[in-house]
Amino acid sequence: MDNISLPDDGQIKQASEEERDRQMMAAHDINNLFSGIFSNIRLLRKFVDGNREAVQYLDNIEHSSRRATEIAGELLAPPGTEKKRDGRINTRLLINEAVSSVIHTFPKEIRITTEISTSIADLKGNSTEIYQVILNILINAFESITNSGEIKVSAVNIFPPVMLGQDGQEEQPKVMINIRDTGCGMGQDVLSKIFRPYFSTKKKGRVSGLGLYAVKKMVEANNGRIVLESTPGEGTLFSLELPAYVHVRKTMIRDKFNILIADDEELLVSILEDLLTGIGYSVSSVSSAEDAIEKLRADGSYDVLITDLRMGGIDGLAAVKEIRKFDQDIKVILSTGTMGLSNLDFNDVRVDAILQKPYELESLLALLDSLV
């Protein structure tokens, strides 16, 4: 019988290091590819300015690409790396991002709507995983509808928002996300197996998504619970019960906090107004630097100015210089697509923060919270 030569510890270690090197090279190459995508998105924005539909498509490409980089980063992380599942996630933003990623892939006969509580709490967990959960349930809902139908996504607090931040509760506050469709529904025989590994009801040629076994595992990994109700011929309801971020929300301060947005991008302003108003801020907007100066000179009640650097007429920085002549207290956030700028570049006028475009709305919310 021939002797079998087994690798020694040194060879195993070398092979492991080589595999890790290949992973690092792959991660580097993937990041370079996505850097090219993001650079081209920025260039394309110059050519589609004013085309609202094209801007929405670019936003979807950018959001999806950023999610892809996060997923790739997790896949290529060193073995044993523990995923972070205690992050603060803006619930409204996450749901809208998932819906925006798929809404243009659905035929117009399938209507998708959202109904999110104006006082919805933030989630606690891994943003990428919960995004994947919502996205894949939406895909399943779409696949269950044969011709026409409706998908509705709603979100409510299980506990009143005022309870957030109270320590020592036996039960922690949660957020319930419901995804209901008017598709074909499922019978008890399918429901009893739906969360089993490798079980699938997908038909050949349909859109592919994660299996519900993987979805359930992700929900549970984020300390959540998933409940499924379905009736053949009527539709299906997925309910996600997820932990709310237990943190003292600055609701009382936000109720008295006035924000002025100066930006000539109508779509961006509309999104910001909806988001910030929904979580308690008082928001007004103008489309030029000149209008911002006039409004702030007439009304001194504003606490924060979010202004774009480049607009028609005078630019945002010139406006800030003028505003500082009569208002030294207002906090100023300067948003810009110019790379590498910092507060130090504006040492002749006080700018409280620089927000690099394109930015995630979560970054803006965190910045506002730091200024409140």
Side-chain angles (χ1 to χ4, degrees):
M1 184 175 179
D2 295 335
N3 292 327
I4 299 175
S5 178
L6 297 175
D8 58 30
D9 290 344
Q11 291 172 317
I12 293 173
K13 182 179 179 181
Q14 181 180 353
S16 178
E17 290 175 350
E18 289 175 354
E19 177 62 23
R20 182 58 193 155
D21 288 342
R22 283 194 291 271
Q23 288 183 343
M24 293 295 291
M25 290 175 63
H28 179 75
D29 291 342
I30 289 171
N31 285 333
N32 281 340
L33 290 171
F34 278 111
S35 294
I37 291 173
F38 294 136
S39 296
N40 280 283
I41 289 172
R42 284 193 290 272
L43 290 172
L44 279 172
R45 288 186 187 279
K46 297 179 181 180
F47 296 96
V48 300
D49 186 31
N51 187 328
R52 182 171 180 173
E53 187 175 8
V55 169
Q56 286 180 327
Y57 288 140
L58 283 176
D59 287 341
N60 291 339
I61 293 170
E62 183 169 9
H63 285 309
S64 298
S65 297
R66 290 196 187 280
R67 288 295 177 191
T69 61
E70 293 171 3
I71 294 170
E74 291 180 354
L75 290 173
L76 295 171
T81 302
E82 189 174 344
K83 286 188 178 181
K84 184 179 178 182
R85 293 191 174 98
D86 59 355
R88 183 176 180 178
I89 308 163
N90 184 281
T91 306
R92 182 187 306 275
L93 179 61
L94 188 72
I95 292 173
N96 287 339
E97 184 182 344
V99 170
S100 296
S101 296
V102 296
I103 193 169
H104 295 293
T105 67
F106 291 0
K108 62 182 180 180
E109 291 80 14
I110 297 178
R111 184 167 174 259
I112 182 167
T113 60
T114 60
E115 186 177 307
I116 305 171
S117 169
T118 56
S119 58
I120 196 70
D122 291 336
L123 292 168
K124 179 181 179 180
N126 183 292
S127 175
T128 300
E129 287 184 336
I130 299 176
Y131 168 84
Q132 287 180 278
V133 166
I134 297 171
L135 183 67
N136 280 278
I137 293 176
L138 287 172
I139 291 172
N140 280 324
F142 161 63
E143 292 183 336
S144 74
I145 299 173
T146 304
N147 295 312
S148 62
E150 183 178 359
I151 301 170
K152 182 177 180 180
V153 185
S154 61
V156 295
N157 298 320
I158 297 180
F159 291 88
V162 70
M163 294 182 68
L164 294 181
Q166 293 183 7
D167 295 325
Q169 293 174 185
E170 292 184 7
E171 290 189 68
Q172 294 298 314
K174 297 178 178 66
V175 172
M176 179 73 81
I177 299 174
N178 293 317
I179 303 174
R180 184 187 297 274
D181 66 65
T182 59
C184 60
M186 291 174 279
Q188 192 57 44
D189 57 330
V190 175
L191 288 174
S192 64
K193 298 179 286 187
I194 198 70
F195 291 119
R196 291 181 184 176
Y198 312 115
F199 180 80
S200 176
T201 60
K202 296 183 183 298
K203 297 177 181 178
K204 189 176 180 180
R206 301 290 274 177
V207 177
S208 179
L210 286 177
L212 288 175
Y213 170 77
V215 166
K216 185 173 183 285
K217 285 294 184 183
M218 282 187 180
V219 172
E220 291 173 346
N222 284 274
N223 298 309
R225 190 167 69 99
I226 183 169
V227 178
L228 171 61
E229 299 175 23
S230 191
T231 303
E234 295 184 11
T236 300
L237 169 64
F238 281 92
S239 295
L240 304 173
E241 185 180 290
L242 297 162
Y245 192 92
V246 181
H247 185 79
V248 179
R249 306 259 329 243
K250 301 179 180 179
T251 306
M252 294 303 295
I253 298 177
R254 285 176 175 170
D255 286 343
K256 304 172 184 176
F257 213 75
N258 296 324
I259 297 174
L260 178 64
I261 302 171
D263 202 306
D264 54 6
E265 294 184 36
E266 293 182 9
L267 178 61
L268 175 62
V269 171
S270 175
I271 293 172
L272 288 179
E273 284 184 323
D274 177 63
L275 173 72
L276 297 175
T277 302
I279 59 175
Y281 289 112
S282 175
V283 183
S284 301
S285 64
V286 292
S287 58
S288 70
E290 292 89 343
D291 287 344
I293 295 170
E294 183 179 341
K295 196 169 189 68
L296 291 173
R297 198 189 300 275
D299 184 352
S301 67
Y302 288 95
D303 302 287
V304 173
L305 168 66
I306 303 173
T307 179
D308 190 19
L309 178 60
R310 305 295 180 196
M311 290 182 282
I314 67 172
D315 64 24
L317 186 58
V320 175
K321 289 180 180 179
E322 183 64 27
I323 290 164
R324 286 299 185 212
K325 293 178 182 178
F326 59 85
D327 192 339
Q328 289 293 321
D329 296 325
I330 191 169
K331 303 289 186 182
V332 174
I333 299 174
L334 192 67
S335 63
T336 174
T338 304
M339 303 294 291
L341 292 180
S342 71
N343 300 47
L344 298 177
D345 294 301
F346 310 113
N347 52 21
D348 57 336
V349 61
R350 196 184 91 236
V351 173
D352 297 281
I354 304 295
L355 194 60
Q356 183 69 55
K357 284 186 173 182
Y359 54 83
E360 296 288 337
L361 294 181
E362 287 176 340
S363 301
L364 174 58
L365 293 176
L367 189 56
L368 284 171
D369 276 349
S370 71
L371 295 175
V372 172

